[in-house]
Every structure is written in C-alpha cells, then in structure tokens.
Amino acid sequence: MNSSDLANSLCSPVLSSIPQLDPPVRLGVMASWSGSNFEAIAQAICDRRLNAQIQVVIYNNPEAKVVERAKRFDVPAVLLNHRDFESREALDRAIVKTLKHHNIEWLVMAGWMRIVTPVLLNAFPSRVLNIHPSLLPSFKGNRAVEQALAAGVKITGCTVHLVVPEVDSGEIIMQAAVPVLPSDTAETLQNRIHIQEHVIYPCAIALAAHNREGESKDE
Ligand code: GRF
C-alpha cells in the first residue's frame, strides 16, 4: 500500500510505506467468530506486505469460522472455550501458556469477544493490539456500529489500539474513517467498516512493532 492508497481510504497516520520488520515478528491471534481480520493479516503476510509469522490462533467458540481460515493458511488453531474455565483469569492463564508455548512476541485480538485481564496483559506488556469498529474514543464497548447510527454521526470508522485493562482505551495506533450513508443499516455500515479494518490492521501491526523496536533501542 502506498501513501496515496492510505490517503484515499482516509487512514491516519499516512505512511509512505508499511514499515518493514526485520526479523519477522511472531504473532499470536485471538478470534471468537468469523476471523476475517485474521485472514486479512494472514493474506498480507503471504503477499509480503507484512513481515510476520502467525504462530497460533486461539479461539473460544467451537463453531468459530476462523478455524477454517486458519487451516487454509496452515496456522495451528487452539480452542480454549471460556465455558471450561472458572474465571476470566483462569482462561487468560491458559491463553498465556499457549501463547508462550508458541513463542509469540505480539498478540493481536481480532474480534475476541471476551474482556481480558491483567494476567494476559502483563504477560505481553504493551504488545497486545485490538481492533474496534469505531473512531475511538467514540462508541466504546459492544454494538459500536449501532451506537454510531443511533448518534447520527456522519463519519465513523475503525481503530487499532494497544490494549489496556480499561476496555477500548489504550494508545491509538491507526484509524480509518468511513462515511455513514443515509441508507445505511448496521449491516451495510459494518461491512464497509470491515473493508477498512482489513486495510489498516496489517499496517498497524507493522507500525506498532516498528515503534516498539525503536523504543527498545533507545532504552
Ligand atoms: C470486527 O468488526 C472488529 O472491529 C471487532 O470484531 C469484529 C471482528 O470481525 N472487534 P472478524 O471476526 O475479524 O471478521
């Protein structure tokens, strides 16, 4: 993607190119259902737009479609069903164990519909990303697209941010704007937001990892 593609899709920051990571960054992905963002990231890696490897996908619903997508990209998928755990912390301990076993550096939440706890966040400090279907800090929490429609905003979008204990509140890495059309339903608007999510997530991963590398060198 070049800078004019990014500008055309109203993404910010506008980058002249996706930062090239060397060596490739090792990712873990967590997804609860469809996993279209997982696929966008996996495809960006295949297309050599993102220098990364997805070591493992963790999913929590046995029927999640992300499993089929993971198979297609030859990525191991591990089911950790939240119903099998007595608390959020117990689930997060199992997640951390799995992610450590797969030796991941960055954790990418892509439609993970569970609140995560410090057990998970402290295991990967400032290295957990999430994507949310609104221009944060507007419309945090569930049903962000419906919230935007109800508020009557004319532009909404999506945000990739670092995850902190407070929901949808960490440092913003990248955003894309999506106009709200008079004819929009939650479904049509969600579909257009999804398209932008797929554009910015691979780029935001590279940007976040690149920034972090720079910070570690300065330390
Ligand atoms: C996306 O809209 C994302 O913003 C939200 O969950 C949805 C996941 O979609 N956090 P998918 O499973 O990646 O298709």
Side-chain angles (χ1 to χ4, degrees):
M1 190 182 350
N2 61 36
S3 58
S4 65
D5 290 335
L6 281 167
N8 288 339
S9 59
L10 292 173
C11 300
S12 185
V14 177
L15 306 170
S16 53
S17 61
I18 294 186
Q20 270 315 298
L21 304 170
D22 187 21
V25 67
R26 298 186 302 276
L27 305 176
V29 176
M30 304 208 302
S32 291
W33 291 111
S34 160
S36 71
N37 278 286
F38 159 80
E39 177 156 351
I41 296 162
Q43 192 60 53
I45 294 170
C46 286
D47 297 346
R48 298 181 184 278
R49 283 178 285 126
L50 173 64
N51 196 16
Q53 286 161 359
I54 304 178
Q55 308 285 104
V56 63
V57 176
I58 293 176
Y59 64 106
N60 63 314
N61 286 306
E63 275 114 61
K65 288 238 163 35
V66 71
V67 182
E68 290 154 34
R69 299 187 200 258
K71 263 195 206 127
R72 269 197 275 126
F73 286 91
D74 217 8
V75 172
V78 175
L79 172 64
L80 292 174
N81 190 333
H82 57 279
R83 298 167 195 87
D84 297 339
F85 295 87
E86 66 192 7
S87 63
R88 290 186 195 281
E89 285 77 11
L91 171 63
D92 282 359
R93 273 193 291 276
I95 293 172
V96 170
K97 198 170 163 199
T98 305
L99 295 172
K100 294 275 184 198
H101 173 76
H102 286 274
N103 198 21
I104 71 131
E105 297 169 286
W106 279 81
L107 176 56
V108 174
M109 290 169 44
W112 180 254
M113 299 304 179
R114 311 288 307 167
I115 291 173
V116 297
T117 71
V119 170
L120 180 62
L121 299 180
N122 293 343
F124 303 98
S126 301
R127 285 173 182 270
V128 182
L129 292 170
N130 183 43
I131 190 154
H132 183 76
S134 76
L135 291 176
L136 289 173
S138 292
F139 312 128
K140 296 179 180 182
N142 289 333
R143 305 180 77 80
V145 176
E146 285 85 348
Q147 289 185 54
L149 282 174
V153 295
K154 301 300 175 216
I155 294 181
T156 184
C158 49
T159 303
V160 176
H161 63 94
L162 286 175
V163 179
V164 294
E166 198 189 331
V167 172
D168 299 327
S169 297
E171 181 192 334
I172 291 171
I173 305 295
M174 193 159 200
Q175 292 184 307
V178 175
V180 181
L181 305 180
S183 58
D184 262 333
T185 61
E187 195 185 351
T188 58
L189 182 53
Q190 174 76 66
N191 289 343
R192 290 204 314 289
I193 291 173
H194 250 125
I195 292 168
Q196 294 308 319
E197 291 186 346
H198 301 161
V199 172
I200 65 168
Y201 218 167
C203 194
I205 291 167
L207 184 59
H210 182 78
N211 289 349
R212 198 102 254 278
E213 251 172 45
E215 282 166 23
S216 331
K217 276 182 196 142
D218 293 344
E219 277 163 16

